[in-house]
Amino acid sequence: MSKAPGQAHYVKVNVDLENGEPVFSYRHFNGEPCEGDVTITEAGTITYQLNDNTGKGLKFTGVGFITPFDGIVDAVTISSDGTLIQMVDLDNTPGTTKFQFVLSNAANTLLVLSPDPEVINRDVK
């Protein structure tokens, strides 16, 4: 039996440059700082919005999972403009999964990796 997504989580992913290197920070949409981690207690969608302060034309191009077959996150979509990533979590599997955002940039053909936030499933139904 599958569950329809109902719970929504929104996190802003801010990327700044410090000494020429990208530095990631995360904020809830209410402006409060956070670690980028999200704890899920029911089926839902997690939306990460990119806020590129680097002037390098960063865009989301993917999400790399340390354990892609653990069943924690069920699907990932990226907006056509590369500013939003949505993760669907049906909350069927308890546990924690780590991932990194993969970003392209307009300055060269190299890819940028974020630090690894987590999705944590609790109270699986």
Side-chain angles (χ1 to χ4, degrees):
M1 179 165 106
S2 66
K3 303 172 196 171
Q7 189 178 45
H9 299 273
Y10 299 96
V11 178
K12 281 193 173 189
V13 180
N14 298 304
V15 187
D16 296 286
L17 283 181
E18 289 183 16
N19 299 318
E21 299 297 325
V23 175
F24 288 77
S25 62
Y26 303 92
R27 293 192 174 273
H28 295 291
F29 264 75
N30 65 6
E32 294 291 317
C34 65
E35 296 297 316
D37 301 345
V38 175
T39 299
I40 301 294
T41 57
E42 64 182 80
T45 302
I46 307 161
T47 301
Y48 289 94
Q49 180 180 17
L50 179 62
N51 182 28
D52 176 17
N53 297 318
T54 68
K56 301 292 184 186
L58 298 180
K59 293 182 184 229
F60 287 131
T61 59
V63 181
F65 287 84
I66 305 287
T67 53
F69 308 114
D70 60 13
I72 306 279
V73 172
D74 299 289
V76 173
T77 58
I78 302 170
S79 65
S80 60
D81 65 358
T83 61
L84 295 173
I85 284 184
Q86 289 191 312
M87 296 184 187
V88 174
D89 184 341
L90 299 177
D91 198 30
N92 290 327
T93 306
T96 300
T97 195
K98 294 183 180 198
F99 60 91
Q100 291 177 283
F101 297 115
V102 181
L103 298 93
S104 64
N105 72 85
N108 58 43
T109 59
L110 303 179
L111 299 175
V112 178
L113 294 175
S114 72
D116 56 340
E118 299 176 335
V119 173
I120 304 154
N121 280 359
R122 297 225 168 95
D123 299 326
V124 174
K125 309 289 184 233

